[in-house]
Amino acid sequence: MQVAFFSTHSYDKEYFDRLNDEKLHQITYFEAPLNRDTANLTKGFDAICIFVNDKLDSETIEKIFINGVKLVVLRCAGFNNVDLNAVAGRNMKVLRVPSYSPQAVAEHAVALILTLNRKTHKAYNRIRESNFSLEKLVGFNLSGKTVGVIGTGQIGIMFCNIMMGFGCRIVAHDLYESDELKEKGIVYKPLPELLHESDIISLHCPLTPETMHLISKNAIDQMKKGVMLINTSRGAVINTPDVIEALADEKIGYLGIDVYEQEANLFFRDLSESIIRDDVITRLLTFPNVLITAHQGFFTKEALEEITMTTLQNLSDFENGVKSLNEVEIK
Ligand code: NAI
């Protein structure tokens, strides 16, 4: 099958070229993201393969459909960037990689917590300049702290397991409770109670109309002073201007984010010689207690391999008319 890959980087090419060794699919790699401006590139392709910041709004979907695209495969789990209403009624399918390595994202959330807390990034830089002072590097013990986990699906469960190992008390919130976690003694609570009790809050829910700006002023007001907020889910789950205000007021004591609402304009690119015109992220970068990574939670060898193998299988299943469990339901 002829497939156009969008938003590709060297690592995408490396993994897909290696695992598509029998050349079952003819892949054309585009570095450009897919959106209404680049939709014309899809002419002549049966399928397109996209990532988190490609934007399939209704106009783009109409254009790619007219170009003959019958299949959209996502190299990721979340599909909030695809307008499913626009896909409905067209002869077009959407397949994703529902699970590739929940451990990768959960472990990255823990990396953000440990770095923010024990300031290893600052210690590293200091010591490279022969500054062996401990001034301002004091952290806190994780053991005994209360960690609030919003969203206890695959990643949330892994994250809970790790944090339990640190001796933390876990309070969870989800629309559906996990029996596995309850058997381990994890307590589910309504959101206001979780916000009120937690020393650390970690977001592991998808971006939906209900979770859009879930963490805004009203939620922040209910949190403990000095709380640590971690977001590895989707940027728009938090209202960034409200979070900035809370950082300035010292209500939020630490912020670790791997995702950012306006990340499509920034992430996955080297902008080190460019003028950043996004005043929200530049303001965030002025806080000493903010740690930002550029959507790298998924970025492990194991996850890349799994994403590649599942994506190739998704393409083959579609081509062979096999009904796949990875198909996104279109109502
Ligand atoms: P999942 O579908 O297994 O779990 C999501 C959980 O959130 C479910 O248990 C669901 O019931 C819950 N949820 C949905 N709406 C909720 C609400 N309003 N309040 C509380 N809980 C709610 O998904 P998984 O695999 O655990 O991934 C979670 C999210 O992590 C993804 O949707 C994606 O946005 C993000 N992600 C980030 C990555 C990164 O590289 N930073 C990589 C992969 C996923």
Side-chain angles (χ1 to χ4, degrees), residues 92-189:
M92 192 185 263
K93 285 192 169 159
V94 179
L95 277 87
R96 65 183 181 127
V97 186
S99 170
Y100 41 89
S101 178
Q103 294 88 346
V105 187
E107 288 172 13
H108 190 72
V110 178
L112 293 177
I113 293 173
L114 286 171
T115 309
L116 276 171
N117 177 15
R118 303 307 295 268
K119 305 178 174 65
T120 43
H121 55 321
K122 297 189 180 185
Y124 173 82
N125 284 326
R126 272 189 197 186
I127 284 171
R128 286 177 69 91
E129 294 186 359
S130 306
N131 174 356
F132 299 99
S133 158
L134 295 185
E135 290 297 330
K136 313 270 185 212
L137 290 186
V138 67
F140 61 85
N141 285 6
L142 288 175
S143 178
K145 295 296 181 296
T146 299
V147 178
V149 183
I150 301 178
T152 53
Q154 302 186 74
I155 297 170
I157 288 177
M158 294 296 159
F159 176 77
C160 289
N161 288 335
I162 302 173
M163 295 316 287
M164 278 196 298
F166 280 108
C168 295
R169 168 180 171 258
I170 313 284
V171 180
H173 175 74
D174 198 309
L175 307 177
Y176 307 96
E177 302 188 353
S178 150
D179 291 336
E180 180 188 335
L181 290 183
K182 286 202 286 189
E183 275 163 26
K184 291 179 176 167
I186 286 176
V187 188
Y188 277 86
K189 298 214 172 178

